[in-house]
Amino acid sequence: MTASDASDLDLRALPKGVLHDHLDGGVRPQTVLDLSRELGIEPPAPTAEGIADWFADAADSGSLPRYLETFARVLELMQTPDSLRRVAREFVEDMAADGVVYAETRWAPEQHLESGLSMEEAVDAVQAGLDEGTAQVEAAGDRILVGQILCQMRQNAPREEIVDLAIARQGRGVVGIDLAGPEDGFPASRFRPQLERARAAGVHVTIHAGEAAGVDSIADALDCGAERLGHGVRLIDDIDAGVVGPTARRVREDGVVLEVCPSSNLQTGAFADMPSHPVDALRRAGMRVAVSSDNRLMSRTWTSRELGRIVDTFSWGLDELEQAALIGLDNGFAPGEQRRALREEVVVSAYQAARIAAESRADGDSGQAL
């Protein structure tokens, strides 16, 4: 299929699997305004539109540490069960509105304890919101499967409680753990005992690596048991003129998925612009590439927009879009039987219908030309 087949489509209508979306990075601007007023906190702007502008401008700095500072403004609003529940419910609603049928949201429970919540209570509140959102989507006649990924923060000391919680909540909404936060100078190997204990207990592991640091950081994450890499885009530095280096070969041969989020990579200075972004080069080198939105508030984006930028820049067509959707769905951390049902009944059938529609449009254009 050609790029025009995809550029003519409403990308929101195509089913997608989202593996990398931060709960605190996707708060609605109106919710920031509402929660700020409820808690007596001065919002960054007096209107939802102004708040959206503020976050996008503050995050568009070219620096990952500066980008991460914007999270302090939303974290202070997410310290109660009600606020966590609302943000989680709206996460599901917003995913469904973007055509997402499988979504994982990641967040760090240790960052939500300032008002006296325990990590268990915080996880319960988020799960309640995800369950509410899922019920609302299904009541509207749509389908979506969601799960939580619990993050540890690289800049903090390892916490056994996160692993304990992930193990205890398997099958109850928690689908994996992540290592997030400032990458450069905070190696994943500091957390290796906790990550290995999680894997041994059957908990899935993804690790942010290969965005603010390079190939060595990716290799370190792999040594710690990463099944997926958050971003992983600096892997391109291990591929030279089609020659795949040892770390890139390891990623490819082990089927490690790259959770690629182009807009945030540009904001944090990993790459200068979309033409220099390696999402397509990595795919062509045989890497498993899934596309997500990362932080919708900070990047003023959503997954359909990320895919649209790729279509416009690299001429992806329906085949490439379907491949990315299936990689996301097939490599999600939720139970396989639930994801497999979505694969055939929703994703594959939707792309078959899109191809038929594209062929019909092409036939119609040919008839008009005659």
Side-chain angles (χ1 to χ4, degrees):
M1 289 292 173
T2 65
S4 62
D5 295 326
S7 61
D8 290 343
L9 290 171
D10 175 8
L11 293 177
R12 285 181 182 260
L14 290 175
K16 291 166 281 290
V18 169
L19 302 182
H20 195 115
D21 194 286
H22 290 263
L23 186 66
D24 49 347
V27 183
R28 294 174 181 174
Q30 184 63 52
T31 300
V32 172
L33 184 60
D34 293 345
L35 292 177
S36 295
R37 289 171 173 169
E38 289 176 15
L39 298 171
I41 296 171
E42 183 70 23
T47 66
E49 182 178 356
I51 287 171
D53 291 338
W54 184 90
F55 275 98
D57 292 344
D60 194 14
S61 64
S63 164
L64 182 58
R66 178 71 186 93
Y67 180 82
L68 295 174
E69 286 174 13
T70 61
F71 288 86
R73 296 305 300 260
V74 287
L75 286 173
E76 66 180 344
L77 307 176
M78 297 171 62
Q79 300 296 327
T80 68
D82 287 346
S83 62
L84 286 169
R85 188 169 181 162
R86 173 176 176 172
V87 170
R89 182 185 71 249
E90 292 175 350
F91 164 83
V92 181
E93 294 170 351
D94 293 345
M95 288 290 116
D98 193 33
V100 175
V101 297
Y102 178 78
E104 297 170 357
T105 186
R106 60 187 67 196
W107 64 295
E110 65 187 88
Q111 295 183 317
H112 300 267
L113 311 178
E114 294 180 4
S115 295
L117 284 177
S118 68
M119 286 198 286
E120 292 84 355
E121 290 169 335
V123 170
D124 285 344
V126 169
Q127 191 58 49
L130 296 180
D131 290 343
E132 287 178 1
T134 300
Q136 291 177 4
V137 169
E138 291 177 348
D142 294 320
R143 295 175 66 177
I144 191 167
L145 176 62
V146 298
Q148 303 186 49
I149 293 178
L150 307 184
C151 298
Q152 295 207 62
M153 304 305 294
R154 284 178 178 265
Q155 70 272 31
N156 297 337
R159 301 188 69 148
E160 297 290 345
E161 307 98 298
I162 296 293
V163 179
D164 294 339
L165 193 50
I167 293 172
R169 299 305 174 92
Q170 288 187 91
R172 298 165 56 193
V174 174
V175 298
I177 61 173
D178 177 32
L179 190 58
E183 181 184 358
D184 200 12
F186 298 95
S189 54
R190 293 176 60 232
F191 297 80
R192 185 167 182 169
Q194 291 74 30
L195 296 167
E196 289 181 342
R197 185 164 73 88
R199 286 294 304 272
V203 175
H204 292 290
V205 173
T206 179
I207 298 177
H208 278 74
E211 183 188 27
V215 176
D216 288 346
S217 177
I218 294 173
D220 187 34
L222 297 175
D223 289 342
C224 291
E227 302 166 69
R228 302 188 330 224
L229 296 171
H231 303 293
V233 286
R234 296 304 333 174
L235 192 67
I236 197 66
D237 297 337
D238 201 38
I239 302 172
D240 183 16
V243 178
V244 178
T247 300
R249 188 180 312 114
R250 183 177 175 188
V251 168
R252 184 174 65 186
E253 292 177 356
D254 291 349
V256 176
V257 172
L258 308 182
E259 306 162 353
V260 179
C261 312
S263 289
S264 69
N265 296 156
L266 304 187
Q267 282 187 305
T268 58
F271 301 95
D273 50 30
M274 278 301 296
S276 65
H277 195 283
V279 58
D280 189 58
L282 290 166
R283 181 192 65 81
R284 287 185 284 104
M287 308 303 161
R288 295 186 181 185
V289 173
V291 178
S292 298
S293 44
D294 199 9
N295 297 294
R296 288 166 287 123
L297 176 63
M298 286 72 179
S299 297
R300 194 179 251 163
T301 196
W302 49 94
T303 300
S304 292
R305 177 177 179 268
E306 297 298 288
L307 291 169
R309 298 189 76 177
I310 294 170
V311 167
D312 291 343
T313 306
F314 300 109
S315 300
W316 279 19
L318 282 169
D319 290 344
E320 292 81 7
L321 291 170
E322 182 180 31
Q323 181 186 48
L326 291 176
I327 288 172
L329 186 58
D330 291 344
N331 294 279
F333 289 161
E337 64 272 14
Q338 296 174 326
R339 291 181 287 107
R340 283 190 290 272
L342 287 172
R343 189 187 209 280
E344 298 303 322
E345 297 169 14
V346 178
V347 178
V348 172
S349 62
Y351 274 92
Q352 288 175 342
R355 287 187 178 87
I356 292 170
E359 292 169 359
S360 177
R361 288 196 302 273
D363 291 343
D365 292 342
S366 298
Q368 291 178 4
L370 293 175

